[in-house]
Amino acid sequence: MTGLTYEDGSGRAAGRRPTRERVLAAGKVMLAWVALLWLLEVVDAATGNALDSFGIQPREPSELIDVVPASFIHFGFAHVAANSIPLLVLGFVAALGGLRRFFLACALIVVADGLGVWLVAPSHTNTAGASGLIFGLFAFVVLSGFVERRPLGIVVGVLIAAYWGTSFLAGLSPTNDGVSWQGHLIGLAAGVAAAFVLRRRRTGQG
């Protein structure tokens, strides 16, 4: 009898539906990730916003070391609160496809977004926050099902796009004061690239 399976990023066969262990692992990873963001903001507040220096100031060679840390730093509790739910939900959905693939996608998005912000953000600005990663995960989750031709993935992508699409489009507007629309746009593009680069292969089994 011929069936279809999917391989994860390491080449191992992955089941059609997430296992209980995979669901638990994805949940633990994202809860820990969001908790880390809140812990860092508590430290930032307690130290007089000392961690804000890890944001990205464009085209300064010394700022290249902040490309990754900037995604974990926020400018106040309202900032981290606004990012927590979308990061938790989108990260959880993305991680259901396998943690190795998820972390590779996050690494690609964070590095590409950070470098892009460093290159094109307006002078004399300081950019930080998880929103670039969130925009990347949004694109990654929405497109993965289509790229891999997985019906369930397509349904999930459509539902995510229907629920959050308008908000994400608004986040790309250059008229939003105090918002790095450049970081959002680059993160979105990086998420599109990740969906193609990290797509799971579809193989036949006898």
Side-chain angles (χ1 to χ4, degrees), residues 23-68:
V23 171
L24 289 174
K28 289 178 181 177
V29 165
M30 291 318 302
L31 287 173
W33 194 312
V34 172
L36 173 62
L37 300 186
W38 280 91
L39 176 61
L40 289 172
E41 189 53 40
V42 169
V43 172
D44 189 40
T47 58
N49 300 320
L51 298 186
D52 289 356
S53 63
F54 287 97
I56 300 170
Q57 299 179 45
R59 293 169 295 283
E60 293 287 340
S62 61
E63 291 293 304
L64 286 171
I65 62 173
D66 293 332
V67 161
V68 173

